């Protein structure tokens, strides 16, 4: 079964790394369903039944996004609020449609990994900062997996740095 990669980038045309990851994944349509929320919903009106059907058709779901203000871009939060409905994602015996599915985050970040550390500027690791995602997906009984992160994009925008991330990301997806 294919892996569903839900991409949430408000300005994918100007993106370096998320755009590159999407291009790469789109080379393997038999392996990945790449679903770009801001491109699908430029008016930000999410088709909830369509999203739920898409989730039901996949056993592995990756949420790929650039890290903005220590969080995800807003359309992904809206997606969580609207798509994970009571009776479908939780709260009834026939619900829990995400239950057992492998779910992971794939995040690109501007600053370096060592800065997300108790003795440094941003104090917390990315695993700690993404606890709301962990709790959300545990709440709906998904199999929440450790995240993939690629750091330092504000410090190094070279093609080499971007390309370096591609096999790392593909390996992560393959191992999910
Ligand atoms: C509005 C905004 C907020 C950002 N907040 C953070 C942040 O909190 N932490 C961080 O490491 N990088 C932050 N960045 C940097 C982005 O994460 C980085 O530019 C992005 O991951 C690069 O991916 P892209 O090439 O696909 O756009 C921010 C960038 C923008 C535009």
């Amino acid at each position: 079964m294919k892996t569903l990669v839900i991409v949430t980038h408000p300005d994918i045309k100007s993106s370096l790394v998320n755009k590159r990851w999407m291009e790469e994944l789109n080379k393997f349509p038999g392996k990945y369903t790449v679903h770009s929320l801001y491109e699908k919903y430029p008016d930000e009106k999410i088709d909830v039944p369509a999203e739920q059907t898409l989730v039901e058709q996949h056993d592995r779901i990756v949420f790929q996004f650039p890290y903005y203000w220590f969080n995800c871009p807003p359309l992904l939060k809206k997606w969580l609020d609207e798509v994970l409905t009571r009776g479908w994602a939780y709260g009834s015996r026939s619900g829990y449609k995400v239950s057992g599915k492998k779910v992971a985050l794939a995040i690109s970040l501007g600053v370096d990994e060592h800065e997300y550390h108790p003795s440094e500027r941003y104090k917390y690791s990315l695993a700690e900062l993404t606890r709301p995602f962990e709790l959300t997906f545990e709440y709906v009984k998904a199999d929440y997996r450790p995240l993939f992160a690629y750091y330092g994009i504000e410090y190094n925008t070279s093609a080499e740095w971007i390309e370096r991330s591609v096999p790392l990301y593909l390996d992560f997806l393959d191992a999910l």
Side-chain angles (χ1 to χ4, degrees), residues 2-56:
K2 295 203 282 182
T3 300
L4 175 61
V5 181
I6 298 180
V7 181
T8 313
H9 195 302
D11 186 14
I12 197 71
K13 288 190 182 67
S14 310
S15 155
L16 294 176
V17 73
N18 283 273
K19 188 168 71 181
R20 179 68 189 91
W21 290 352
M22 278 178 67
E23 279 168 10
E24 191 67 21
L25 300 184
N26 278 325
K27 292 179 187 168
F28 307 100
K31 283 180 86 173
Y32 310 113
T33 303
V34 182
H35 184 56
S36 176
L37 290 183
Y38 279 101
E39 291 179 288
K40 177 80 183 175
Y41 303 115
D43 60 0
E44 303 191 16
K45 291 202 175 80
I46 295 170
D47 181 342
V48 172
E51 295 299 309
Q52 291 177 336
T53 300
L54 201 56
V55 168
E56 287 173 23

Side-chain angles (χ1 to χ4, degrees), residues 6-171:
I6 298 180
V7 181
T8 313
H9 195 302
D11 186 14
I12 197 71
K13 288 190 182 67
S14 310
S15 155
L16 294 176
V17 73
N18 283 273
K19 188 168 71 181
R20 179 68 189 91
W21 290 352
M22 278 178 67
E23 279 168 10
E24 191 67 21
L25 300 184
N26 278 325
K27 292 179 187 168
F28 307 100
K31 283 180 86 173
Y32 310 113
T33 303
V34 182
H35 184 56
S36 176
L37 290 183
Y38 279 101
E39 291 179 288
K40 177 80 183 175
Y41 303 115
D43 60 0
E44 303 191 16
K45 291 202 175 80
I46 295 170
D47 181 342
V48 172
E51 295 299 309
Q52 291 177 336
T53 300
L54 201 56
V55 168
E56 287 173 23
Q57 289 166 346
H58 295 81
D59 280 342
R60 289 183 300 273
I61 303 152
V62 172
F63 293 92
Q64 176 193 314
F65 56 89
Y67 207 43
Y68 280 3
W69 290 117
F70 311 101
N71 216 321
C72 63
L75 191 54
L76 179 52
K77 179 61 166 63
K78 191 168 193 261
W79 189 99
L80 295 170
D81 292 353
E82 296 185 3
V83 176
L84 300 180
T85 51
R86 175 187 288 274
W88 182 81
Y90 68 96
S92 80
R93 209 167 290 178
S94 60
Y96 292 102
K97 298 286 197 228
V98 195
S99 144
K101 293 182 189 292
K102 290 184 178 175
V103 171
L105 307 180
I107 304 178
S108 65
L109 298 98
V111 308
D112 283 337
E113 183 170 14
H114 68 82
E115 295 176 82
Y116 287 97
H117 186 272
S119 63
E120 294 228 27
R121 188 168 181 194
Y122 300 117
K123 299 199 287 189
Y124 308 106
S125 70
L126 193 58
E128 288 174 296
L129 290 166
T130 51
R131 292 287 185 235
F133 291 94
E134 179 181 336
L135 293 175
T136 296
F137 288 108
E138 286 181 1
Y139 192 90
V140 299
K141 303 188 195 302
D143 179 7
Y144 185 78
R145 314 299 293 178
L147 57 81
F148 175 78
Y150 199 71
Y151 295 86
I153 297 149
E154 280 186 347
Y155 302 142
N156 190 348
T157 55
S158 70
E160 290 75 19
W161 188 246
I162 303 304
E163 283 311 306
R164 181 185 167 275
S165 71
V166 174
L168 298 174
Y169 187 32
L170 293 182
D171 286 351

